[in-house]
Amino acid sequence: MHHLTSLVMLGGSFGAPLERRAILRAAPLVYAPLLPTGTALACTPHRARLGSPQKLSLASAARLILADAAPMVSACRAAQGVLLLRGEARSGCWVVPCPEADLLSDDTYSSAHAAGEFSRAANALARVGSAATPANGHLAIADAKIAGRWGNPCSIWPLGELHYCYLRTQREWWPGIDGFVSLDQLGLEVDSSLADALSMGHEVLFTSSRGYVSVASEHEAVLRRLLGL
């Protein structure tokens, strides 16, 4: 999907700011043994340095996930093995270095109105201290059918420093945020309770410092075994 993995809102008053949650970090890595020569992975949650996706073997993808996607692996385990998915225009296993965000584009939902609501949501999220916003993030969802609207359902494993947010009262960001007054009223969670989002099958808006690994659904059974899920 535009991203789907497929996960925002009309600006408004939020009341008391959300307290800052602990930043989720994964240990720094040396990628050389895992990735093809020349793969670029350095970027920040706020301004990505774009690079070309690189295809991986399933074994290499699993090693990279275990080494640098610990927050997502932990959340999947806590959610009894539920995976976060995106509809991707590819099959197999890939490392995707900080793809360009597209939620502010009219083309993503074929709607200038949706793009405008996501733009207001980006400002609203920034005001409450969320590092993940529609300006830099991507949507993914723990639902293969919804992810499949956007492409081949692939499990998503953010690499490096991870930030995310989701809405407890709305399963999907769009049209869930259409006409919102307060994100707090929609049950906004910032960098907290990721396993709950997976268990509920809700869309997650995420950004990560080194992009993400995507693994197509045809490899899910073997990937689960390799990851101990």
Side-chain angles (χ1 to χ4, degrees), residues 118-195:
F118 274 106
S119 179
R120 288 196 277 181
N123 292 333
L125 286 164
R127 286 199 298 272
V128 298
S130 176
T133 79
N136 63 16
H138 304 275
L139 292 176
I141 191 166
D143 186 301
K145 184 177 181 179
I146 295 177
R149 297 174 188 166
W150 301 89
N152 187 27
C154 299
S155 61
I156 298 300
W157 307 91
L159 300 173
E161 184 176 314
L162 170 64
H163 294 278
Y164 61 89
C165 55
Y166 67 93
L167 305 173
R168 284 190 174 270
T169 67
Q170 301 292 328
R171 191 174 190 198
E172 296 179 72
W173 283 84
W174 184 258
I177 58 166
D178 191 16
F180 80 91
V181 175
S182 166
L183 291 183
D184 282 345
Q185 292 177 350
L186 298 181
L188 176 67
E189 293 281 356
V190 177
D191 288 346
S192 177
S193 307
L194 181 55

Side-chain angles (χ1 to χ4, degrees), residues 60-149:
S60 292
R63 288 198 301 270
L64 183 52
I65 290 166
L66 288 171
D68 203 31
M72 183 57 69
V73 173
S74 296
C76 290
R77 287 175 176 159
Q80 305 301 310
V82 177
L83 303 179
L84 190 65
L85 306 171
R86 276 175 60 89
E88 299 270 276
R90 58 179 67 91
S91 60
C93 307
W94 296 78
V95 60
V96 184
C98 305
E100 186 174 5
D102 61 2
L103 288 169
L104 304 187
S105 169
D106 294 357
D107 296 334
T108 299
Y109 287 93
S110 300
S111 168
H113 176 64
E117 293 293 85
F118 274 106
S119 179
R120 288 196 277 181
N123 292 333
L125 286 164
R127 286 199 298 272
V128 298
S130 176
T133 79
N136 63 16
H138 304 275
L139 292 176
I141 191 166
D143 186 301
K145 184 177 181 179
I146 295 177
R149 297 174 188 166

